[in-house]
Amino acid sequence: MAERNSFFDSPEVQNFNKDIQQYNLGPLWNAIPDLMHKQPTPEAVPYLWKWEVLEKKLHEATQIFTPERGGERRAIYFQNPGFKSRQPWGWASTTNTLYAAVQLILPGEAAPSHRHTQNAMRFITKGSGAFSTVQGQRIFMEEGDYLTTPGWLWHGHGHEGERPMIWMDILDIPFVYASAGTFFEPHSVQLEKPSLPDNYGPRRYRGGMVRPISDRIPQIAPVGSYKWAQTEMALDGLSDFEPDPYDGFAIEYVNPSNGATANPTMAAWIQKLPTGFSSKAHRHTNSAIYHVFKGEGYSVINGVQYHWTKGDFFVIPNWAWHEHVNTSNDDALLFCANDLPIMETFHLQKEERYEQNGGHQEIKSEFIPVLL
Ligand code: GTQ
């Protein structure tokens, strides 16, 4: 492409550009550098939210909002500061395609059943005794469980336990919004009555290890919930071998009925970083949202150091260089949700390895999180 020169600033061109606006037309020659930049320039920025802040704000929200009063869920979403000027859907974008939130439910509360075209997944951060009713079965949730609720499935939540329960929601809200594919419908009853035994999917599939022979036809979410005990066992098995240099010991949740990601548009996995593990840096087109399930360490994202401890959440936007380090004396466990399936479906996925300096970025500054 030719260098941009004074031609673009000439009154003749500027007047023409202005003139065609009244016909709702636009000049490509003016727009192309912004439309077709050399590499991804996501509005999302790297960011990190501290657990102490989230937990406190969720508990404060219990004084203000109840599902009964508001007819909805008590969820607080991760607003990426890079989107603040983009209205209205910038309000709820954590990355360019993904929304993530933390949700708190109190014992005895019920979040009403509804369905929408957005796909959802959950990772259980704290507590037990709450359930999500999906596809007619109550799926009880415990710390470390991963649940899938693909688009248009009815889902509502209840809590039979003793203490507040918190989990992470991840949905493809910005992607579906941009595609104008949003449908939403509340259920006719408050919380859908179960039509199958409790934990039907996870019990029949043993966490995705097997497939009952009657289920050979692909289904959208046959497992429903991937139990922590089984995930931990799988991680332990993998740990006898070499870690991936970029992601440590990482295992992805899959749908055993079709071999694809557990949720169609979003992938999710768990990464174990052993003591002292320091990954190499790379970047990829897909964006990722991380939750620190266990441990302590830091990630370097585009040369900035993000310290994390248990419970924190952080964002790696598209095409950002990143690497992870475990600084603690124990394993660190990271839950990662990402839009890899979207990027792969549209042939946009690319990865690049950081080759300089032994594969490690120079740390130029440290991120200072907003504290209470
Ligand atoms: O729990 O069903 O954070 O529908 C956003 C939309 C949670 C849910 C969110 C949802 C839900």
Side-chain angles (χ1 to χ4, degrees), residues 15-311:
N15 287 339
F16 183 84
N17 292 351
K18 218 168 177 180
D19 172 62
I20 63 173
Q21 274 180 23
Q22 64 184 307
Y23 308 104
N24 291 313
L25 299 169
L28 173 66
W29 51 85
N30 216 36
I32 204 161
D34 289 333
L35 295 178
M36 300 198 184
H37 27 75
K38 289 197 176 126
Q39 56 184 37
T41 58
E43 289 139 299
V45 295
Y47 203 73
L48 181 143
W49 292 265
K50 292 301 291 178
W51 173 249
E52 302 79 64
V53 176
L54 301 166
E55 197 175 31
K56 172 127 192 299
K57 293 298 153 191
L58 279 173
H59 282 282
E60 282 175 23
T62 62
Q63 305 300 310
I64 295 178
F65 174 90
T66 63
E68 258 176 10
R69 231 185 276 157
E72 259 313 328
R73 287 102 172 89
R74 186 187 295 105
I76 295 178
Y77 56 77
F78 298 108
Q79 171 60 69
N80 191 300
F83 291 100
K84 281 202 174 141
S85 61
R86 193 203 262 189
Q87 307 288 4
W89 51 295
W91 293 339
S93 297
T94 311
T95 78
N96 279 55
T97 53
L98 303 180
Y99 152 108
V102 278
Q103 179 166 171
L104 185 151
I105 186 165
L106 293 173
E109 284 184 336
S113 292
H114 66 200
R115 62 179 176 176
H116 39 69
T117 42
Q118 288 87 350
N119 296 273
M121 31 195 217
R122 300 179 217 292
F123 185 77
I124 313 310
T125 309
K126 194 167 178 186
S128 63
F131 60 85
S132 192
T133 303
V134 185
Q135 299 186 99
Q137 42 184 308
R138 296 195 305 171
I139 296 179
F140 280 83
M141 304 184 271
E142 297 173 296
E143 280 173 28
D145 291 357
Y146 163 75
L147 278 80
T148 61
T149 310
W152 213 237
L153 296 183
W154 294 111
H155 57 285
H157 320 300
H159 194 354
E160 295 190 340
E162 306 282 307
R163 308 184 64 78
M165 179 145 180
I166 300 176
W167 65 76
M168 174 189 190
D169 296 314
I170 310 101
L171 289 90
D172 49 7
I173 291 174
F175 174 71
V176 175
Y177 194 101
S179 313
T182 300
F183 287 88
F184 176 90
E185 198 181 343
H187 202 282
S188 56
V189 297
Q190 169 79 353
L191 190 54
E192 185 195 0
K193 296 272 170 294
S195 54
L196 288 168
D198 288 348
N199 299 313
Y200 185 70
R203 279 161 62 198
R204 294 178 76 236
Y205 274 80
R206 281 291 144 201
M209 184 182 75
V210 294
R211 174 174 67 185
I213 56 165
S214 53
D215 286 8
R216 296 196 62 138
I217 296 163
Q219 295 174 56
I220 191 77
V223 185
S225 149
Y226 298 71
K227 302 300 291 175
W228 175 247
Q230 271 138 352
T231 305
E232 197 172 30
M233 221 157 39
L235 274 175
D236 285 348
L238 193 66
S239 307
D240 293 338
F241 305 94
E242 282 301 302
D244 178 274
Y246 298 92
D247 289 302
F249 298 106
I251 46 169
E252 182 173 359
Y253 301 100
V254 293
N255 175 343
S257 79
N258 62 9
T261 49
N263 227 336
T265 57
M266 298 177 284
W269 54 73
I270 282 272
Q271 292 176 222
K272 175 156 113 182
L273 314 179
T275 304
F277 181 81
S278 173
S279 84
K280 289 187 166 182
H282 70 163
R283 61 180 175 180
H284 37 64
T285 330
N286 69 280
S287 61
I289 304 168
Y290 274 87
H291 169 60
V292 183
F293 185 52
K294 183 183 157 189
E296 207 170 307
Y298 65 85
S299 299
V300 185
I301 311 173
N302 282 342
V304 180
Q305 190 177 34
Y306 292 76
H307 288 279
W308 38 257
T309 53
K310 181 177 161 57

Side-chain angles (χ1 to χ4, degrees), residues 4-14 29:
R4 289 182 74 79
N5 52 39
S6 56
F7 159 78
F8 290 97
D9 301 326
S10 69
E12 189 190 10
V13 171
Q14 295 226 338
W29 51 85

